[in-house]
Amino acid sequence: MLSYICLNWVLLVLLTGSTVSELIVIGEVGQNITVPCHYSVLNRNSITSMCWGRDRCPNSKCSQPIIWTDGWRVTEQHSSRYQLEGDLHKGDVSLTIVDAREADSGTYCCRVEIPGWFNDQLINRKVVVKKARISTASPHTYTSEQTSAPGSTSESFPVTRTWPLVSSSEAPQTASTPCSGPSDCLDVTANLQNRSVSLASQQHPEHGLYIGIGSCAALLLILILALLLT
Protein backbone atom coordinates (compact mmCIF):
# COMPACT_ATOMS: atom_id res chain seq x y z
CA MET A 1 0.00 0.00 0.00
CA LEU A 2 2.79 2.38 0.92
CA SER A 3 4.70 1.61 -2.28
CA TYR A 4 1.55 2.30 -4.31
CA ILE A 5 1.16 5.73 -2.68
CA CYS A 6 4.83 6.54 -3.26
CA LEU A 7 4.58 5.52 -6.92
CA ASN A 8 1.54 7.76 -7.45
CA TRP A 9 3.34 10.64 -5.81
CA VAL A 10 6.40 10.18 -8.05
CA LEU A 11 4.25 10.02 -11.16
CA LEU A 12 2.34 13.13 -10.07
CA VAL A 13 5.57 15.06 -9.56
CA LEU A 14 7.00 13.91 -12.87
CA LEU A 15 3.90 14.86 -14.80
CA THR A 16 3.14 18.17 -13.12
CA GLY A 17 6.36 19.32 -11.47
CA SER A 18 6.36 22.77 -9.86
CA THR A 19 5.06 24.61 -12.93
CA VAL A 20 3.53 28.00 -12.24
CA SER A 21 0.49 29.16 -14.21
CA GLU A 22 1.33 30.99 -17.44
CA LEU A 23 1.80 34.75 -17.45
CA ILE A 24 1.02 36.55 -20.70
CA VAL A 25 3.57 39.13 -21.86
CA ILE A 26 2.41 41.44 -24.69
CA GLY A 27 4.72 43.52 -26.84
CA GLU A 28 4.97 45.13 -30.27
CA VAL A 29 7.09 44.34 -33.29
CA GLY A 30 10.44 46.13 -33.20
CA GLN A 31 10.42 46.67 -29.43
CA ASN A 32 12.47 44.94 -26.76
CA ILE A 33 10.31 42.57 -24.70
CA THR A 34 11.32 41.42 -21.21
CA VAL A 35 9.90 38.09 -20.04
CA PRO A 36 10.21 38.00 -16.21
CA CYS A 37 11.70 35.12 -14.24
CA HIS A 38 13.30 35.18 -10.77
CA TYR A 39 14.46 32.75 -8.10
CA SER A 40 15.50 33.24 -4.50
CA VAL A 41 19.20 33.76 -3.78
CA LEU A 42 20.08 33.56 -0.07
CA ASN A 43 23.86 33.42 -0.46
CA ARG A 44 26.54 32.63 -3.02
CA ASN A 45 25.81 28.92 -2.69
CA SER A 46 22.21 29.55 -3.77
CA ILE A 47 23.27 30.80 -7.21
CA THR A 48 22.51 28.07 -9.71
CA SER A 49 22.20 27.36 -13.42
CA MET A 50 19.08 27.85 -15.50
CA CYS A 51 17.87 27.84 -19.07
CA TRP A 52 15.26 29.40 -21.30
CA GLY A 53 13.55 27.37 -24.01
CA ARG A 54 10.70 27.55 -26.49
CA ASP A 55 7.49 25.64 -25.72
CA ARG A 56 6.39 24.44 -22.29
CA CYS A 57 8.85 23.11 -19.73
CA PRO A 58 9.58 19.38 -20.20
CA ASN A 59 10.45 16.92 -17.42
CA SER A 60 14.12 17.87 -17.63
CA LYS A 61 16.25 20.58 -19.17
CA CYS A 62 14.67 22.92 -21.76
CA SER A 63 13.15 21.96 -25.07
CA GLN A 64 14.52 24.08 -27.91
CA PRO A 65 16.93 25.91 -25.57
CA ILE A 66 17.73 29.49 -26.55
CA ILE A 67 19.99 30.60 -23.70
CA TRP A 68 21.83 29.03 -20.73
CA THR A 69 23.60 30.45 -17.68
CA ASP A 70 25.56 28.87 -14.86
CA GLY A 71 24.30 31.58 -12.54
CA TRP A 72 27.34 33.79 -13.05
CA ARG A 73 27.50 34.30 -16.80
CA VAL A 74 25.82 33.23 -20.02
CA THR A 75 27.31 29.92 -21.15
CA GLU A 76 25.18 29.23 -24.24
CA GLN A 77 23.24 31.59 -26.48
CA HIS A 78 21.18 30.59 -29.50
CA SER A 79 20.96 34.15 -30.88
CA SER A 80 22.21 37.61 -29.93
CA ARG A 81 18.55 38.70 -29.85
CA TYR A 82 18.13 36.76 -26.60
CA GLN A 83 19.73 38.50 -23.63
CA LEU A 84 19.85 38.11 -19.84
CA GLU A 85 20.10 41.75 -18.77
CA GLY A 86 19.10 41.25 -15.13
CA ASP A 87 21.43 40.78 -12.15
CA LEU A 88 22.18 37.05 -12.28
CA HIS A 89 23.82 37.08 -8.84
CA LYS A 90 20.49 38.21 -7.33
CA GLY A 91 18.39 35.62 -9.13
CA ASP A 92 17.07 37.93 -11.89
CA VAL A 93 17.14 35.68 -14.93
CA SER A 94 14.49 37.55 -16.95
CA LEU A 95 14.73 37.05 -20.71
CA THR A 96 14.98 40.09 -22.99
CA ILE A 97 13.97 39.60 -26.62
CA VAL A 98 15.67 42.31 -28.68
CA ASP A 99 13.85 43.70 -31.75
CA ALA A 100 10.85 41.44 -31.29
CA ARG A 101 9.15 39.84 -34.28
CA GLU A 102 5.77 38.23 -34.77
CA ALA A 103 7.54 34.85 -35.03
CA ASP A 104 8.70 35.31 -31.42
CA SER A 105 5.14 34.79 -30.20
CA GLY A 106 4.61 31.59 -28.27
CA THR A 107 5.31 29.87 -24.95
CA TYR A 108 8.70 30.18 -23.22
CA CYS A 109 10.01 28.01 -20.41
CA CYS A 110 12.16 29.36 -17.57
CA ARG A 111 13.80 26.43 -15.78
CA VAL A 112 15.92 27.09 -12.70
CA GLU A 113 17.95 24.01 -11.77
CA ILE A 114 17.81 23.66 -8.01
CA PRO A 115 19.81 20.77 -6.53
CA GLY A 116 17.77 17.81 -5.34
CA TRP A 117 15.11 15.56 -6.79
CA PHE A 118 12.24 17.33 -8.48
CA ASN A 119 13.28 20.71 -7.04
CA ASP A 120 13.62 22.58 -10.32
CA GLN A 121 11.61 25.77 -10.57
CA LEU A 122 9.53 25.68 -13.74
CA ILE A 123 7.79 28.77 -15.07
CA ASN A 124 5.95 29.02 -18.38
CA ARG A 125 5.48 32.42 -20.00
CA LYS A 126 3.27 33.16 -23.00
CA VAL A 127 4.57 35.92 -25.28
CA VAL A 128 2.32 37.76 -27.74
CA VAL A 129 4.01 40.06 -30.26
CA LYS A 130 1.62 42.35 -32.12
CA LYS A 131 2.16 44.58 -35.12
CA ALA A 132 3.16 48.13 -34.30
CA ARG A 133 0.33 50.65 -34.35
CA ILE A 134 0.76 53.27 -37.06
CA SER A 135 -0.51 56.73 -36.16
CA THR A 136 -1.07 59.18 -39.01
CA ALA A 137 -1.29 62.87 -38.25
CA SER A 138 -4.16 64.58 -40.06
CA PRO A 139 -3.22 67.71 -42.06
CA HIS A 140 -3.99 71.03 -40.41
CA THR A 141 -6.81 72.35 -42.56
CA TYR A 142 -9.70 74.60 -41.72
CA THR A 143 -12.99 72.89 -42.44
CA SER A 144 -16.63 73.82 -42.28
CA GLU A 145 -19.62 71.53 -42.11
CA GLN A 146 -22.50 71.43 -44.54
CA THR A 147 -25.67 69.84 -43.30
CA SER A 148 -28.52 68.55 -45.38
CA ALA A 149 -31.88 70.28 -45.61
CA PRO A 150 -34.50 69.67 -42.89
CA GLY A 151 -36.46 66.49 -43.34
CA SER A 152 -33.62 64.60 -45.01
CA THR A 153 -31.02 62.39 -43.40
CA SER A 154 -28.62 64.62 -41.52
CA GLU A 155 -25.09 64.19 -42.72
CA SER A 156 -22.11 66.45 -42.32
CA PHE A 157 -19.43 66.81 -44.96
CA PRO A 158 -16.15 68.54 -44.18
CA VAL A 159 -15.46 71.11 -46.91
CA THR A 160 -11.99 72.56 -47.16
CA ARG A 161 -11.76 76.06 -48.59
CA THR A 162 -8.61 77.75 -49.80
CA TRP A 163 -8.20 81.41 -50.61
CA PRO A 164 -5.19 82.06 -52.90
CA LEU A 165 -3.47 85.41 -52.55
CA VAL A 166 -3.80 87.59 -55.65
CA SER A 167 -2.55 91.12 -56.27
CA SER A 168 -4.86 93.99 -57.10
CA SER A 169 -3.68 93.96 -60.73
CA GLU A 170 -4.59 90.27 -61.06
CA ALA A 171 -7.95 90.54 -59.31
CA PRO A 172 -10.84 89.71 -61.64
CA GLN A 173 -13.17 92.56 -62.56
CA THR A 174 -16.72 92.25 -61.32
CA ALA A 175 -19.19 91.90 -64.16
CA SER A 176 -21.79 94.63 -64.34
CA THR A 177 -25.45 93.89 -64.27
CA PRO A 178 -27.21 93.57 -67.67
CA CYS A 179 -28.94 96.64 -69.15
CA SER A 180 -32.56 97.08 -68.21
CA GLY A 181 -33.32 99.19 -71.34
CA PRO A 182 -31.81 100.94 -74.41
CA SER A 183 -31.17 104.17 -72.52
CA ASP A 184 -29.26 102.30 -69.83
CA CYS A 185 -27.13 100.58 -72.45
CA LEU A 186 -26.37 103.96 -74.15
CA ASP A 187 -25.36 105.45 -70.79
CA VAL A 188 -23.12 102.50 -70.06
CA THR A 189 -21.52 102.76 -73.52
CA ALA A 190 -20.92 106.51 -73.11
CA ASN A 191 -19.39 105.97 -69.69
CA LEU A 192 -17.09 103.32 -71.07
CA GLN A 193 -16.01 105.60 -73.96
CA ASN A 194 -15.35 108.52 -71.61
CA ARG A 195 -13.42 106.27 -69.31
CA SER A 196 -11.30 104.96 -72.20
CA VAL A 197 -10.60 108.52 -73.38
CA SER A 198 -9.61 109.64 -69.91
CA LEU A 199 -7.44 106.57 -69.48
CA ALA A 200 -5.79 107.28 -72.85
CA SER A 201 -5.15 110.90 -71.87
CA GLN A 202 -3.76 109.79 -68.54
CA GLN A 203 -1.54 107.20 -70.16
CA HIS A 204 -0.18 109.70 -72.79
CA PRO A 205 -0.12 113.20 -71.17
CA GLU A 206 2.83 114.28 -73.32
CA HIS A 207 0.66 114.26 -76.50
CA GLY A 208 -1.49 117.11 -75.17
CA LEU A 209 1.61 119.08 -74.25
CA TYR A 210 3.03 118.75 -77.78
CA ILE A 211 -0.27 119.89 -79.34
CA GLY A 212 -0.38 122.98 -77.09
CA ILE A 213 3.18 124.01 -77.98
CA GLY A 214 2.51 123.54 -81.71
CA SER A 215 -0.61 125.70 -81.54
CA CYS A 216 1.27 128.53 -79.79
CA ALA A 217 4.08 128.38 -82.35
CA ALA A 218 1.58 128.57 -85.24
CA LEU A 219 -0.15 131.62 -83.74
CA LEU A 220 3.19 133.32 -83.14
CA LEU A 221 4.24 132.66 -86.75
CA ILE A 222 0.97 134.14 -88.05
CA LEU A 223 1.48 137.30 -85.95
CA ILE A 224 5.03 137.75 -87.28
CA LEU A 225 3.87 137.39 -90.89
CA ALA A 226 1.09 139.91 -90.28
CA LEU A 227 3.58 142.44 -88.88
CA LEU A 228 5.90 141.96 -91.84
CA LEU A 229 3.09 142.47 -94.30
CA THR A 230 1.90 145.67 -92.62
Side-chain angles (χ1 to χ4, degrees):
M1 181 65 180
L2 182 60
S3 61
Y4 176 76
I5 295 174
C6 291
L7 180 61
N8 287 339
W9 180 81
V10 170
L11 291 175
L12 181 64
V13 171
L14 288 176
L15 293 176
T16 61
S18 56
T19 303
V20 179
S21 59
E22 287 187 356
L23 172 69
I24 299 178
V25 180
I26 301 176
E28 291 185 355
V29 173
Q31 294 183 344
N32 294 350
I33 300 177
T34 300
V35 188
C37 186
H38 302 80
Y39 70 95
S40 178
V41 175
L42 301 178
N43 49 50
R44 292 174 60 87
N45 296 329
S46 301
I47 298 175
T48 184
S49 59
M50 63 83 57
C51 65
W52 277 96
R54 298 294 299 262
D55 208 349
R56 297 179 63 84
C57 297
N59 294 331
S60 63
K61 305 299 181 180
C62 289
S63 60
Q64 305 180 43
I66 56 178
I67 195 167
W68 279 86
T69 175
D70 59 2
W72 300 94
R73 60 184 179 85
V74 175
T75 57
E76 183 180 339
Q77 191 175 17
H78 177 71
S79 171
S80 60
R81 294 179 53 246
Y82 302 120
Q83 305 282 342
L84 297 180
E85 298 182 349
D87 192 343
L88 301 179
H89 304 162
K90 295 182 179 180
D92 185 359
V93 290
S94 300
L95 174 67
T96 298
I97 304 175
V98 179
D99 190 16
R101 307 166 185 171
E102 286 189 87
D104 293 325
S105 299
T107 302
Y108 289 76
C109 166
C110 172
R111 188 185 196 99
V112 181
E113 297 179 326
I114 299 176
W117 282 24
F118 316 117
N119 289 335
D120 288 357
Q121 175 180 311
L122 312 179
I123 300 176
N124 291 316
R125 302 293 194 211
K126 185 175 182 180
V127 176
V128 178
V129 182
K130 299 181 179 180
K131 292 183 179 179
R133 292 170 293 182
I134 302 176
S135 60
T136 57
S138 59
H140 297 285
T141 56
Y142 295 96
T143 60
S144 61
E145 292 186 354
Q146 292 183 349
T147 56
S148 57
S152 60
T153 305
S154 60
E155 295 181 356
S156 60
F157 303 93
V159 179
T160 304
R161 294 183 173 89
T162 58
W163 294 271
L165 297 176
V166 296
S167 60
S168 58
S169 60
E170 297 177 353
Q173 299 293 332
T174 304
S176 60
T177 57
C179 303
S180 59
S183 59
D184 294 340
C185 292
L186 291 176
D187 294 339
V188 171
T189 304
N191 291 335
L192 291 176
Q193 291 176 352
N194 294 333
R195 184 178 299 177
S196 61
V197 171
S198 61
L199 288 176
S201 61
Q202 291 176 2
Q203 292 177 356
H204 305 284
E206 64 276 6
H207 292 172
L209 180 62
Y210 294 156
I211 293 173
I213 293 175
S215 301
C216 292
L219 292 175
L220 182 61
L221 182 59
I222 292 172
L223 291 175
I224 293 173
L225 290 175
L227 292 174
L228 292 174
L229 292 176
T230 56

